[in-house]
């Protein structure tokens, strides 16, 4: 048995520890979004009043965290989740005045160029950002000196360098695991454009262990049976992986001032 309170880890994630673990488990769409965002926040500068785009915000939990913890104004954009649903969640969380839900495809954003002081993506950027040309598109929406910060599932070595997709990743995730890349892959990809300066590109400390703990809690405590079943499947994959491949990458960069 893993208790829900195992998600409260004030030593490593003090801000996330203040959030009700049941609420966190029931509002996530991927592994440990608050831990990832809190960690990513250590590599960024987020000041009150900044305009931040939460790209692929899912059920808006990361947008709520951004609005509450950093007092920034957030545009919460997602392709699959209806903005009305996120509006209700933002009202309930008391951040409706500074979190704006938007229905948007990351490839066709309905914003003015240069609008955002920061663009943040937690567990979403790998769905579109591996397109070599996407960085040229997304950086247009950054203000001068604006920051791009993403946390994505990652591999410790590029899959082409390990000879292909290991069986347990093919079973657990499928060929889509090809969108998982190392922090250095992302660094090279962004840096070579000269459109941004990469300020950090690292693996999350104990990323695999965090992911496993998250799945153990979700497998027992999620209110959604599909999530419980998915977590059991992910646990099988993580156990087979033993931390050899799977982790998270945190990459941050800044546009020229
Ligand atoms: C794994 S979920 C993560 C959601 C949230 N950030 C979290 O951690 O709970 C990935 C999200 O990316 C969004 N997404 C995928 N492709 C997208 C696109 N082209 N444009 C906007 N959002 C996209 C999905 O709608 C989904 O909500």
């Amino acid at each position: 048995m893993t208790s829900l309170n195992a998600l409260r880890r004030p030593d490593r994630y003090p801000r996330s520890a203040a959030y009700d673990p049941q609420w966190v488990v029931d509002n996530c769409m991927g592994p440990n979004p608050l831990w990832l965002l809190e960690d990513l926040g250590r590599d960024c500068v987020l000041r009150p009043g900044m305009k931040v785009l939460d790209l692929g915000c899912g059920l808006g939990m990361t947008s709520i965290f951004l609005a509450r913890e950093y007092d920034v104004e957030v545009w919460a954009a997602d392709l699959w989740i209806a903005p009305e649903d996120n509006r209700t969640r933002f009202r309930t969380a008391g951040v409706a005045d500074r979190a704006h839900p938007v229905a948007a495809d990351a490839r066709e954003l309905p914003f003015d160029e240069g609008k955002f002081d920061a663009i943040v993506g937690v567990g979403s950027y790998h769905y579109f950002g591996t397109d070599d040309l996407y960085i040229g598109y997304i950086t247009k929406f950054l203000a001068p000196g604006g920051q791009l910060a993403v946390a994505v599932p990652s591999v410790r070595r590029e899959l082409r360098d390990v000879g292909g997709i290991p069986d347990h990743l093919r079973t657990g995730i499928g060929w889509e695991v090809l969108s998982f890349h190392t922090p250095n892959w992302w660094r090279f990809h962004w840096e070579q454009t000269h459109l941004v300066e990469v300020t950090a590109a690292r693996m999350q400390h104990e990323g695999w262990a965090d992911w496993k703990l998250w799945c153990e809690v979700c497998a027992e405590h999620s209110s959604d049976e599909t999530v419980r079943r998915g977590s059991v499947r992910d646990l099988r994959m993580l156990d087979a992986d033993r931390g050899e491949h799977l982790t998270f990458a945190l990459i941050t960069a800044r546009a020229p001032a």
Side-chain angles (χ1 to χ4, degrees), residues 28-49:
C28 70
M29 285 178 64
N32 44 280
L34 294 194
W35 295 342
L36 288 169
L37 178 55
E38 181 166 356
D39 206 356
L40 193 60
R42 293 172 182 139
D43 294 339
C44 313
V45 179
L46 295 172
R47 286 199 215 89

Side-chain angles (χ1 to χ4, degrees), residues 28-30 33 56-58 62 78-80 104-107 122-124 127-128:
C28 70
M29 285 178 64
C57 67
T62 44
D78 200 88
L79 184 62
W80 305 336
D105 186 330
R107 301 179 186 92
V122 176
S124 56
Y127 287 106
F128 36 82

